[in-house]
Amino acid sequence: DAGVTQSPTHLIKTRGQQVTLRCSPKSGHDTVSWYQQALGQGPQFIFQYYEEEERQRGNFPDRFSGHQFPNYSSELNVNALLLGDSALYLCASSPSGVAGNTIYFGEGSWLTVV
Amino acid sequence: QKEVEQNSGPLSVPEGAIASLNCTYSDRGSQSFFWYRQYSGKSPELIMSIYSNGDKEDGRFTAQLNKASQYVSLLIRDSQPSDSATYLCAVRAGGSYIPTFGRGTSLIVHP
């Protein structure tokens, strides 16, 4: 049973560039959430996708956008990268319904902006 | 603003001791509580979830919840050096799809 998979695992971008991160949820899960974790901090919620729609959004600027595909996989896009966007980006999946209480994380994508 | 507070530590305990990790939260409507373990350079891994007041045990781990005091804790018995990690507390309010995370407590178990 494959868990949550993310790609790429590490990447380096230059300020002002754009980046796309990808996530495949755990089998049986239809809800995908994205988190940003800076060094020494807890994960900060970016947004959640369910049924190909953004269901909830955290306190992140519009430079952060996403998409969910019919197979439940998801992408996170960040435009006009800033040095402060350097962080671990975590994708988490969960099943809908009561069991959707628990989220499971992928291994994350380390983004460095130089 | 929903807040989840944890002492960043580090909490240092000797091997074989009980490690006690604490978390407080601000939203009285919170209904679901989670503990995640995160090794350095890795992603968070779910340890336990708890939904009702009282204790919940799973192997060497015990989660304790006191909704009246808005307090949740994690006890690790017979601590091992392999337990050295950051422990994240997460809280989900009723009606919300999203858990809010604390910044985590760093635990060091020394031989």
Side-chain angles (χ1 to χ4, degrees):
Chain A
D1 179 22
V4 181
T5 59
Q6 292 186 242
S7 64
T9 53
H10 294 83
L11 68 166
I12 300 174
K13 291 286 188 178
T14 303
R15 273 182 302 174
Q17 284 189 316
Q18 179 263 344
V19 67
T20 297
L21 307 178
R22 296 176 176 82
C23 172
S24 292
K26 184 178 170 65
S27 177
H29 290 187
D30 56 7
T31 303
V32 173
S33 303
W34 286 93
Y35 286 80
Q36 180 196 66
Q37 188 177 24
L39 210 58
Q41 302 296 317
Q44 297 296 311
F45 172 69
I46 303 175
F47 42 55
Q48 184 182 80
Y49 277 85
Y50 172 66
E51 293 187 340
E52 301 180 53
E53 297 282 335
E54 183 183 287
R55 178 158 68 179
Q56 194 165 339
R57 187 179 183 92
N59 189 25
F60 277 80
D62 292 344
R63 298 187 297 110
F64 290 77
S65 63
H67 189 77
Q68 185 178 36
F69 299 94
N71 66 353
Y72 309 124
S73 67
S74 177
E75 287 183 350
L76 164 65
N77 301 291
V78 188
N79 295 321
L81 285 166
L82 304 173
L83 295 180
D85 294 332
S86 296
L88 175 64
Y89 287 84
L90 294 162
C91 173
S93 74
S94 57
S96 55
V98 176
N101 273 336
T102 305
I103 65 172
Y104 297 87
F105 288 98
E107 291 301 309
S109 294
W110 289 94
L111 172 63
T112 301
V113 182
V114 297
Chain B
Q1 176 78 6
K2 301 181 180 70
E3 293 185 352
V4 178
E5 299 289 339
Q6 296 182 258
N7 188 322
S8 61
L11 172 66
S12 182
V13 300
E15 185 175 355
I18 296 175
S20 178
L21 304 160
N22 305 315
C23 172
T24 59
Y25 58 94
S26 62
D27 185 352
R28 283 195 171 275
S30 298
Q31 295 188 349
S32 306
F33 307 85
F34 309 91
W35 284 100
Y36 288 80
R37 176 176 61 199
Q38 187 173 26
Y39 291 115
S40 180
K42 301 295 186 181
S43 65
E45 170 193 15
L46 179 70
I47 299 175
M48 292 186 70
S49 57
I50 185 168
Y51 306 104
S52 304
N53 278 330
D55 294 359
K56 179 180 179 182
E57 186 174 318
D58 183 0
R60 296 187 295 113
F61 299 96
T62 299
Q64 299 176 318
L65 175 61
N66 184 326
K67 290 185 179 180
S69 300
Q70 295 175 244
Y71 176 95
V72 58
S73 64
L74 179 70
L75 302 178
I76 306 175
R77 289 182 300 281
D78 188 24
S79 295
Q80 301 297 309
S82 59
D83 294 325
S84 298
T86 295
Y87 289 80
L88 297 164
C89 172
V91 176
R92 189 185 69 85
S96 171
Y97 300 105
I98 310 302
T100 299
F101 284 81
R103 64 182 298 173
T105 298
S106 174
L107 172 67
I108 299 172
V109 181
H110 53 87

